[in-house]
Amino acid sequence: MLNKYARAFFTRVLTPFAAFLLRMGVSPDAVTLIGTAGVVAGALVFFPMGEFFWGTITITLFVFSDLVDGNMARQAGVSSRWGAFLDSTLDRVADAAIFGGLALWYAGSGNDNALCAVAIFCLASGQVVSYTKARGESIGLPVAVNGLIERAERLVITLVAAGLSGLETFGVPSWIGVLLPIALWVVAAGSLVTLIQRVVTVRRESAEADAAAAAAAGAPSEGGTP
């Protein structure tokens, strides 16, 4: 849901900035690479140290590159399969860095193996959720489902909670630190539900596509008669 409405809003807001970068001779691919590098650095430098506030600020500054690069490509008329592939691939890298950085914190100074496992589950389930859609589309299915928690929701929930939890270092009462564990559990549960939604959708769409193909070829559908 956030991906549907927030992306359209921020695309309009960032359009002038995208146009400025094009005038400066910056390519969309360069923005994609720099944005991913910034997210990875912010996540893997700050999060393992427990610096959640500054890590979130750094990641947020760079995460909008995911909207800017596509905007630039459309304005320049250079949208391509390669650009879409690169963007999607590096999104997975950025997501892995965010949840990997949190897992490193809980495995180390955070000293919480359960939350380390939850963060790893968030990392893995997010990758699989994305894969199910990509794989379904690659075999010709629309995968027409809006999952409960998709990439935008995963990032917003996790980063907002991490940033607020990081305020503890500025004197905010320590109870605020509980927001991040809650967020990780929510993202983990929501990702599992989303994965199930997509698998069920692909199963239904594939059965419908197979039945339609069989009918078009004059063959009996499963369980039917000639």
Side-chain angles (χ1 to χ4, degrees):
M1 184 176 296
L2 281 175
N3 190 56
K4 178 180 179 182
Y5 296 106
R7 178 176 288 270
F9 170 76
F10 283 110
T11 295
R12 289 194 299 270
V13 171
L14 294 171
T15 293
F17 180 61
F20 169 75
L21 291 177
L22 287 172
R23 290 195 298 271
M24 296 296 293
V26 180
S27 71
D29 286 353
V31 172
T32 303
L33 291 168
I34 293 170
T36 302
V39 171
V40 170
L44 296 183
V45 171
F46 291 104
F47 281 178
M49 298 189 299
E51 294 288 347
F52 298 129
F53 179 79
W54 293 115
T56 299
I57 293 298
T58 302
I59 292 168
T60 302
L61 289 175
F62 285 98
V63 80
F64 284 106
S65 66
D66 187 45
L67 299 176
V68 174
D69 55 5
N71 194 317
M72 292 172 64
R74 286 188 294 273
Q75 289 191 49
V78 295
S79 297
S80 64
R81 291 182 176 88
W82 162 250
F85 169 81
L86 180 66
D87 186 58
S88 181
T89 300
L90 294 184
D91 281 350
R92 306 289 83 76
V93 173
D95 293 356
I98 290 170
F99 289 105
L102 293 173
L104 287 172
W105 161 252
Y106 285 116
S109 301
N111 193 29
D112 194 320
N113 289 337
L115 286 174
C116 175
V118 173
I120 292 173
F121 180 83
C122 290
L123 188 163
S125 60
Q127 305 294 315
V128 177
V129 164
S130 297
Y131 174 79
T132 54
K133 184 173 180 65
R135 185 68 179 113
E137 291 175 341
S138 74
I139 57 175
L141 301 175
V143 195
V145 59
N146 291 321
L148 179 63
I149 292 185
E150 299 185 340
R151 184 173 188 257
E153 287 85 0
R154 289 197 302 271
L155 291 180
V156 169
I157 292 171
T158 302
L159 292 177
V160 168
L164 292 175
S165 295
L167 292 176
E168 186 177 349
T169 60
F170 296 94
V172 175
S174 60
W175 61 262
I176 202 167
V178 76
L179 294 178
L180 181 55
I182 291 174
L184 288 175
W185 280 106
V186 168
V187 170
S191 296
L192 179 59
V193 171
T194 302
L195 176 59
I196 294 172
Q197 288 176 304
R198 288 195 173 178
V199 169
V200 169
T201 298
V202 170
R203 177 69 182 89
R204 174 179 54 78
E205 290 178 349
S206 62
E208 292 172 352
D210 290 344
S221 60
E222 184 177 347
T225 56

